[in-house]
Amino acid sequence: MTENPDAAGGTSGGGQRRELTARLAVPEMDCPSCAQKVNKSLQRVDGITDVTLQPTTGTANVTYDPDRTSEADVIKAIEGAGYEVVGGSDAEGDDEDNQAADGVDIAPPSEVWTSPRAKKTWLGAAFVTLGLLFEFLLTGQNATVASVLEYPLHIADVLFLGAVAASGIPVVRSGYYSAKNRSLDIDLLMGTAIIAATGIGYFVEAATLAVLFSIAELLEDYAMDRARDSLRELMELSPDEATALRDGEEVTVPAEEVDVGETVVVRPGDKIPLDGTVIDGESAVDQSPITGESVPVDKTAGDEVYAGAINEEGYLEVEVTSTAGDSTLSRIIEMVQGAQAKKTESEQFVDRFSGYYTPLVVVLAILTAAIPPLVIADPISVDLAGYGFTFASDWQTWFIRGLTLLVIACPCAFVISTPVSVVSGITSAAKNGVLIKGGNYLEAMGEVDAVALDKTGTLTKGELAVTDVVPVGDTTEDDLLRRAAGLERRSEHPIAAAILARAEETGVGNLPDATSFESLTGKGIRGEIDGKTYYAGKPALFEELGFDLARARRETDGGVVAEESSESDDGAFAENALSALEREGKTVVIVGTESELLGAIAIADEVRPASKRAVERLHELGVERVVMLTGDNEGTARAIAEQVGVDEYRAELLPDEKVDAVEELQAEYGEVAMVGDGINDAPALATAEVGIAMGAAGTDTALETADIALMGDDIGKLPYLYDLSHTANGVIRQNIWASLGVKLLLALGVPLGLVSVALAVVVGDMGMSLGVTGNAMRLSRIAPERMDGKTGQEMGV
């Protein structure tokens, strides 16, 4: 239970009104009609200000005014709708953290097959089996044992009534609560059917209906519990305990009791308990629960780590940077739960349709039972497509057919067809490092016609790196890097950092000290090494020093080398060498003295290894247009676009011009998804139908601004996201139309006497509910493709 001050609702003295939120588990509330029944019951409680019900998680969050009602009243109202509340908090006072800890995020697992309902179902099934044995096989032993209102009861009848009592009473009880809450749902329909069939002496039908429907309910409970398992697995990633260093000693404490700034110890094989920064030790850390990365990431002092990640091999000391409730994993879990509460367009359609569908079929069931016996004086034989059918004239036959149509009216499979698909898709994505913040975004992503990609930090790594080292003459690569790094170590420019990083990676040895360092604004740098003046900078700087680089910088036309010229650069660089690097969008830094060229170093923002394959895969999956949007110059944009294979690029764009570009794509192609860093590209992300943030792990802004977040810096997850969303849309459509189609076929067969009560329950209710749930669960089998062509399943991740 959490406390929520409500500034809007003041007391008579103008102060704030104190509100509490009860977070309760209601495991049996597993479909929208169940939630509707609970909601109607809660609305009658004075003092309740807000209700959030989530059938997919089996939870109820109820905000109320403690001066007007209590949590006990809330629980009583939910139980008054016919649903058991598991747990609940009795916390009092103002300690928000303690109260929040008493709440629940998902209903606990159910012992479906050994529950009291299951035991009653098995008993009823045994009675039905014995009853059928006496009714049809042991007819000689089916003696009369009693009579009611001069109606004889045989052994089989008593057994059928026993089945109705064992398996049917729970159904009738639920139907009573539905009637009490004015909810025309499956429980009311089935309860009415069982009572009606029993009342007119159709004991076989009543018993069969009670037992089969109870089995169907158990199977649906089991299927929903399996669907909730995926979310439970996500929640179980969060460690309960942490080993904190306090006063020089290791103390094991609950994770929620560790404060920001404290140090926790993480040994090999342990889960990292909280978000933090490594301050001592080094290890490979499996971050797949957070970012979806399949390969462990090396962590050393200064690196960020996330709660729920697994320390593979080394010892780590981590300084905590966020509390348990504010960790990246906690926010992911919270957003996944919130995502399930946002209805997709398909869910809204189903809700509207079922509001008309159920009452209509109930009316048809009543008319089926009442009208034919009044208008058919004698049985009528009809030949339809070579098959003969008889339309009976007796009340009993048409009553059973009306009863059957009443059973078919149950919209359960139709109503759950979309929610179970959304739950399966969103939780599967979360486990693969993709956070989808609503079922509506899952649905929208599967319908996009064009994808707009930011360049820096999306298609590229967003960090400058040395790509080419081109020595000339007798200079070696190591000599070139050593001289360049010696000069650049005095510079603050990002290019200098890239050259120094490359020198460190290649181990060129001790770097020389540059004296008399001078920055040549807009051109490069100059310094003395071993008494000799060296320069590092743009080609234009060396042209000013007297070098003729025309041959090396000559452009080609369509790949054909231009006509030979008498111009020369003294043979230092190969023909067209520098222009080839520049055409690839690379920045060229030449190193040399006033009289000698040592060589050139090319620097670029490296394209991510996965970018080219990601673009190819999007095309393969059916995305019509993939466009790169960047603020970089034309040359760099063209080079990157050619390298990754996008359909088109737009360069030198300001943030508002990216918005214009997205709007133009929408006008030309339709639905657009925009992929960016979640901060600089916020306007374009907001304009697109779906905004996707790259590398959002640990980034509050990106998590909040984007509709979908790729938790790791892996553009390769984008095709997976589209594939999952597109498949989810297909699954949702399959579930909806299959549910309606089967119901329609069964309904058409009822007047012809082709559909029995048992068939209506087994196929129309139990079968379709299991079918749509099983179909939805296959979304969890979709795995991201690695850029080497392997899927996560093939690699065992």
Side-chain angles (χ1 to χ4, degrees):
M1 179 169 63
T2 58
E3 184 174 349
N4 303 312
D6 184 354
T11 63
S12 57
Q16 290 184 334
R17 185 176 69 199
R18 191 169 66 106
E19 290 187 343
L20 298 178
T21 297
R23 300 165 59 197
L24 308 168
V26 191
E28 295 176 355
M29 184 185 68
D30 54 13
C31 66
S33 62
C34 303
Q36 184 182 37
K37 195 191 309 185
V38 172
N39 186 58
K40 287 182 177 180
S41 183
L42 287 170
Q43 294 305 321
R44 291 198 290 268
V45 179
D46 181 52
I48 290 179
T49 58
D50 185 61
V51 176
T52 301
L53 304 175
Q54 293 186 307
T56 50
T57 58
T59 57
N61 292 345
V62 184
T63 302
Y64 60 93
D65 181 351
D67 296 328
R68 297 161 60 197
T69 190
S70 66
E71 184 173 315
D73 294 331
V74 171
I75 293 174
K76 184 178 179 181
I78 295 174
E79 291 176 341
Y83 297 95
E84 180 185 6
V85 175
V86 177
S89 59
D90 296 316
E92 296 293 341
D94 297 335
D95 188 342
E96 182 176 331
D97 291 335
N98 288 339
Q99 291 174 349
D102 291 330
V104 291
D105 296 310
I106 188 169
S110 302
E111 297 296 331
V112 176
W113 306 117
T114 57
S115 64
R117 175 72 178 270
K119 292 175 181 176
K120 293 176 182 177
T121 301
W122 309 142
L123 179 60
F127 283 145
V128 166
T129 302
L130 290 173
L132 293 174
L133 188 64
F134 277 98
E135 182 79 12
F136 298 106
L137 294 179
L138 304 176
T139 54
Q141 285 75 39
N142 190 21
T144 301
V145 294
S147 64
V148 175
L149 300 177
E150 298 183 357
Y151 185 89
L153 294 179
H154 300 85
I155 294 176
D157 296 329
V158 173
L159 290 170
F160 290 138
L161 288 172
V164 170
S167 300
I169 287 179
V171 181
V172 173
R173 176 179 174 274
S174 296
Y176 161 75
Y177 285 116
S178 298
K180 180 181 176 182
N181 289 284
R182 299 181 181 87
S183 178
L184 184 60
D185 60 14
I186 183 172
D187 295 321
L188 179 57
L189 298 179
M190 294 297 184
T192 301
I194 291 170
I195 291 173
T198 304
I200 64 169
Y202 278 66
F203 301 142
V204 175
E205 286 78 5
T208 303
L209 177 58
V211 171
L212 288 178
F213 178 68
S214 293
I215 293 174
E217 290 285 278
L218 292 175
L219 288 169
E220 288 172 18
D221 290 345
Y222 174 72
M224 180 55 72
D225 203 51
R226 288 289 303 274
R228 291 172 181 169
D229 279 345
S230 56
L231 184 55
R232 291 192 190 101
E233 289 171 9
L234 188 62
M235 296 176 66
E236 287 169 2
L237 293 173
S238 185
D240 297 323
E241 294 182 332
T243 302
L245 279 178
R246 294 178 177 174
D247 300 324
E249 295 185 0
E250 295 182 7
V251 183
T252 301
V253 296
E256 60 265 21
E257 293 182 9
V258 180
D259 296 324
V260 172
E262 286 199 75
T263 300
V264 294
V265 171
V266 188
R267 291 189 166 77
D270 289 350
K271 287 181 181 178
I272 294 170
L274 300 147
D275 286 3
T277 303
V278 176
I279 57 175
D280 189 26
E282 57 182 57
S283 179
V285 174
D286 178 6
Q287 297 188 154
S288 59
I290 311 300
T291 65
E293 295 166 286
S294 58
V295 178
V297 180
D298 291 332
K299 298 290 184 180
T300 58
D303 290 336
E304 279 187 308
V305 291
Y306 306 113
I310 301 168
N311 182 22
E312 293 277 316
E313 52 193 31
Y315 170 90
L316 294 176
E317 289 184 9
V318 176
E319 181 180 338
V320 175
T321 56
S322 66
T323 59
D326 290 330
S327 70
T328 301
L329 179 59
S330 297
R331 292 200 300 274
I332 291 173
I333 293 170
E334 181 181 347
M335 289 181 179
V336 169
Q337 290 175 306
Q340 296 168 13
K342 299 176 183 176
K343 290 189 176 182
T344 68
E345 290 185 10
S346 296
E347 285 180 282
Q348 294 172 23
F349 162 75
V350 167
D351 287 347
R352 290 193 301 269
F353 186 86
S354 61
Y356 298 101
Y357 162 82
T358 305
L360 176 63
V361 181
V362 169
V363 170
L364 289 176
I366 295 171
L367 295 177
T368 299
I371 301 300
L374 295 176
V375 299
I376 301 176
D378 299 303
I380 301 174
S381 296
V382 178
D383 189 345
L384 294 176
Y387 293 92
F389 298 98
T390 300
F391 288 92
S393 60
D394 59 294
W395 285 94
Q396 289 89 346
T397 298
W398 286 105
F399 181 86
I400 291 299
R401 291 179 182 178
L403 201 65
T404 304
L405 201 55
L406 196 66
V407 172
I408 293 171
C410 161
C412 195
F414 174 62
V415 170
I416 70 171
S417 59
T418 301
V420 294
S421 303
V422 170
V423 170
S424 179
I426 288 177
T427 53
S428 175
K431 287 188 287 186
N432 283 295
V434 179
L435 178 59
I436 303 173
K437 294 168 64 176
N440 48 335
Y441 303 125
L442 174 71
E443 198 170 68
M445 184 62 201
E447 300 292 339
V448 298
D449 304 294
V451 175
L453 301 162
D454 177 46
K455 180 186 79 68
T456 305
T458 301
L459 290 171
T460 66
K461 294 180 179 178
E463 301 173 356
L464 291 179
V466 172
T467 59
D468 302 87
V469 179
V470 186
V472 296
D474 296 330
T475 307
T476 65
E477 286 192 14
D478 284 356
D479 288 339
L480 177 57
L481 274 173
R482 187 179 297 108
R483 294 288 191 279
L487 287 171
E488 298 286 7
R489 69 193 302 185
R490 299 284 299 275
S491 173
E492 299 293 329
H493 198 281
I495 287 177
I499 292 175
L500 287 167
R502 179 61 173 265
E504 183 179 348
E505 288 173 11
T506 54
V508 297
N510 295 328
L511 301 182
D513 290 323
T515 59
S516 302
F517 178 83
E518 182 182 359
S519 175
L520 306 173
T521 305
K523 298 178 182 179
I525 57 176
R526 174 174 60 198
E528 289 188 9
I529 297 176
D530 298 330
K532 195 171 185 178
T533 301
Y534 285 85
Y535 296 83
K538 296 178 178 180
L541 171 63
F542 284 84
E543 289 178 332
E544 288 183 10
L545 292 174
F547 291 94
D548 189 348
L549 303 176
R551 182 170 174 270
R553 301 187 71 190
R554 184 187 307 147
E555 291 287 349
T556 62
D557 183 9
V560 179
V561 179
E563 188 177 325
E564 288 291 338
S565 163
S566 60
E567 295 175 329
S568 170
D569 58 8
D570 303 321
F573 291 104
E575 184 176 4
N576 205 36
L578 300 184
S579 62
L581 294 173
E582 291 173 338
R583 280 199 311 275
E584 293 173 2
K586 299 172 182 178
T587 299
V588 176
V589 175
I590 295 178
V591 182
T593 66
E594 292 180 352
S595 59
E596 180 186 12
L597 295 177
L598 300 182
I601 297 174
I603 295 104
D605 180 3
E606 285 188 296
V607 172
R608 295 181 187 276
S611 295
K612 182 176 177 62
R613 176 57 186 157
V615 173
E616 289 176 352
R617 183 66 180 142
L618 285 172
H619 284 133
E620 291 171 3
L621 291 169
V623 175
E624 185 177 351
R625 199 77 172 168
V626 180
V627 181
M628 184 183 77
L629 307 179
T630 179
D632 271 351
N633 62 69
E634 177 77 17
T636 300
R638 181 178 63 251
I640 299 298
E642 290 174 353
Q643 192 170 344
V644 300
V646 295
D647 297 305
E648 66 175 283
Y649 67 90
R650 304 188 185 187
E652 301 179 9
L653 299 178
L654 297 173
D656 59 330
E657 291 174 327
K658 286 188 178 182
V659 172
D660 294 339
V662 169
E663 290 176 343
E664 289 172 13
L665 290 172
Q666 289 170 327
E668 187 171 355
Y669 297 104
E671 308 269 314
V672 175
M674 172 69 193
V675 188
D677 61 13
I679 302 171
N680 298 331
D681 298 307
L685 290 172
T687 303
E689 275 74 18
V690 184
I692 304 169
M694 282 282 293
T699 307
D700 292 342
T701 306
L703 281 173
E704 294 300 328
T705 57
D707 304 322
I708 299 174
L710 306 182
M711 302 305 292
D713 279 336
D714 186 3
I715 189 66
K717 294 290 176 64
L718 187 59
Y720 158 74
L721 169 62
Y722 178 80
D723 188 21
L724 177 72
S725 301
H726 191 70
T727 305
N729 286 345
V731 166
I732 289 170
R733 285 192 290 268
Q734 291 164 14
N735 284 349
I736 289 175
W737 296 116
S739 301
L740 289 177
V742 169
K743 295 277 187 184
L744 177 62
L745 287 174
L746 290 173
L748 292 175
V750 169
L752 303 175
L754 299 177
V755 179
S756 65
V757 172
L759 185 63
V761 175
V762 171
V763 176
D765 180 49
M766 176 170 59
M768 286 311 304
S769 294
L770 290 176
V772 298
T773 303
N775 195 31
M777 290 301 101
R778 68 187 177 91
L779 292 174
S780 63
R781 298 199 295 270
I782 298 175
E785 176 188 310
R786 291 192 57 183
M787 291 305 104
D788 56 10
K790 296 180 180 178
T791 65
Q793 289 171 311
E794 293 173 70
M795 300 194 61
V797 297

